[in-house]
Amino acid sequence: MDSILDSVKKALGIHAEYTNFDPDIIMHINTVFGILNQLNIGPPEGFMIEDNSMVWDEYITSLNLTMVKTYIYLKVRLMFDPPTSSALIESINGMISELEWRLYVEGNHGTEGGENDE
């Protein structure tokens, strides 16, 4: 499984070897993990990364992993490198809202994959 940090950086268009922005990106990723925790997604005790050694399987092993990855990328994108186009920002916010709703429903209605079972 791939590194959480490196996969978010790849989605942002940043090479894994380029580490100048890692502290900022890590901070934003951890903020999104906090939001997901409030939606009952991921480990009940919460989750944080410190570097690129943490992988997705350590966070969540459920069917909603793709939605979680997309959600984290979109939220980090708006925090780290927001687009200049208001139409694009509105579109991203719409996708974030839909993903939040779907993740909330999954995390709060007892469907399989709401939390990491480890």
Side-chain angles (χ1 to χ4, degrees):
M1 180 84 13
D2 45 313
S3 159
I4 294 170
L5 176 60
D6 290 347
S7 62
V8 171
K9 285 171 60 174
K10 180 182 177 189
L12 291 169
I14 301 170
H15 291 282
E17 301 80 30
Y18 189 77
T19 60
N20 289 356
F21 296 120
D22 283 7
D24 298 343
I25 295 170
I26 289 169
M27 176 182 62
H28 297 318
I29 290 170
N30 287 333
T31 297
V32 180
F33 280 139
I35 294 167
L36 286 167
N37 183 261
Q38 292 178 340
L39 295 172
N40 290 327
I41 300 296
E45 68 276 2
F47 190 83
M48 290 180 63
I49 66 169
E50 296 179 359
D51 54 33
N52 69 344
S53 65
M54 303 296 282
V55 295
W56 288 106
D57 280 345
E58 294 176 85
Y59 173 63
I60 197 164
T61 58
S62 67
L63 300 174
N64 64 14
L65 179 59
T66 303
M67 282 195 299
V68 167
K69 285 182 175 183
T70 301
Y71 179 77
I72 289 175
Y73 158 68
L74 292 171
K75 292 288 280 186
V76 170
R77 166 94 191 270
L78 284 182
M79 288 185 258
F80 176 73
D81 186 23
T84 56
S85 164
S86 61
L88 185 52
I89 290 172
E90 185 177 329
S91 174
I92 291 172
N93 280 325
M95 288 185 279
I96 287 170
S97 293
E98 180 178 350
L99 288 168
E100 279 177 348
W101 171 248
R102 292 178 183 279
L103 289 167
Y104 171 79
V105 168
E106 184 169 334
N108 289 286
H109 288 87
T111 60
E112 207 174 301
E115 294 181 357
N116 191 340
D117 295 323
E118 294 180 38

